[in-house]
Amino acid sequence: MSQSLLRALDLLDALAGQPATLDELASKASVHKTTVMRLLHALEEKRFVVRDEQQRFRLGSKLFELSSLALEQRDIRAVARPHLAELNALTGHTIHLAAFEGNEVVYIDKFESHHPVRMYSRIGLTAALHSAAVAKVLLADMPRSRQERIAAGLDYIKVTDNTLTSPEALLAELEQVKAQGWAQDNAEHEAFVHCVAAPIRDASGAVVAAASCSVPVVMLSYEGLLGLLPGLKASTDAISHDLGWINHERTTP
């Protein structure tokens, strides 16, 4: 039974490359053609493979169903944690993971700074939608109409000299975030802290979370803060990859 299972899995692996006929699959198999045919019929019965009009076998709908369920069962926090822990170890700075819960952006994980100067934040707190870098990343992926509704309903409390104070300013920044693929909080929520954030995507490409590096201004200049972006984006891309996202822009021809 185990040998049959392994041979069936080998057939699925072969079909992942491209559709193939029974003869083509049998020519590369280590067993007789009748065994390959028997395995294909069993896989076809369970919808793991399907035949087209040219009698070529290709991957079936059952695999898509199972892959979707597998991705849904992957908890973002659990998937992200090892990557963000590594980023925290490399930079020594505070790392946040945030996602939408209802109409609010909530911090769902945090790695503390290794330095004596730390910032006040904790898991479960909400992020200001018009100033937090993680919130801007999440908002930037939304349709424009939804962005406009949210922006129009916010209270633009000016807490620092850099705080955005109007829907127009926020919407303009969201356009920039969308274009560049990352967001900043340039001391907009707290005058002594600035941060950068990048998106985490699921298999469909939708932004489902955001991760950020937060640093006290006294420890790192704005230019130094931007220097954290490559490492941050490498981490968020790795998390997205683990969630099933394929970054076609990074694929070389």
Side-chain angles (χ1 to χ4, degrees), residues 127-180:
L129 295 184
H130 66 300
S131 58
V134 288
K136 293 175 187 176
V137 164
L138 292 163
L139 289 170
D141 192 57
M142 292 180 174
R144 179 70 175 189
S145 58
R146 189 177 177 193
Q147 290 177 353
E148 290 173 348
R149 288 196 301 272
I150 292 174
L154 297 180
D155 293 326
Y156 292 87
I157 301 172
K158 187 176 179 64
V159 292
T160 78
D161 290 340
N162 295 339
T163 305
L164 300 179
T165 57
S166 70
E168 293 76 19
L170 176 58
L171 291 169
E173 180 137 349
L174 294 181
E175 283 188 15
Q176 182 177 348
V177 171
K178 182 79 171 180
Q180 68 192 14

